[in-house]
């Protein structure tokens, strides 16, 4: 009687609530990854781009640029 397969002591898989538990875990992972990727994108892409624009407009002279384009014949009315 000890060798019967029906008398195993290991419990079967817990299937009740498995879908809800999986959704909760996947949602937590998705929110965590979203937060990490958002911060990384801000630091690696947006901040350097913002600094580059700030540097460009510190040196930019709109009147000088206008005169250069006017001299090159870019405008029909000037």
């Amino acid at each position: 009687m000890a060798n019967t397969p029906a008398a195993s002591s290991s419990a079967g898989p817990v299937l009740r609530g498995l879908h809800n538990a999986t959704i909760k875990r996947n949602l937590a992972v998705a929110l965590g990854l979203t937060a990490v990727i958002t911060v990384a994108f801000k630091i690696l892409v947006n901040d350097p781009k913002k600094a580059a624009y700030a540097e460009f407009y510190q040196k930019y002279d709109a009147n000088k640029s206008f005169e250069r384009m006017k001299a090159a014949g870019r405008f029909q009315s000037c």
Side-chain angles (χ1 to χ4, degrees):
M1 192 86 146
N3 292 339
T4 60
S8 65
S9 62
S10 65
V14 178
L15 299 178
R16 184 176 300 269
L18 179 64
H19 183 65
N20 288 338
T22 304
I23 288 174
K24 285 179 187 177
R25 182 179 53 101
N26 288 344
L27 185 62
V29 168
L31 290 175
L33 285 175
T34 301
V36 168
I37 290 170
T38 301
V39 170
F41 189 82
K42 180 192 179 305
I43 291 171
L44 297 174
V45 176
N46 286 351
D47 288 347
K49 189 183 290 189
K50 191 175 181 180
Y53 273 106
E55 180 185 348
F56 174 78
Y57 281 110
Q58 281 179 348
K59 301 176 191 175
Y60 183 68
D61 184 13
N63 291 328
K64 181 179 174 185
S65 181
F66 173 74
E67 292 300 327
R68 180 179 48 85
M69 289 186 282
K70 183 178 172 183
R74 292 288 183 178
F75 301 113
Q76 294 178 0
S77 62
C78 294

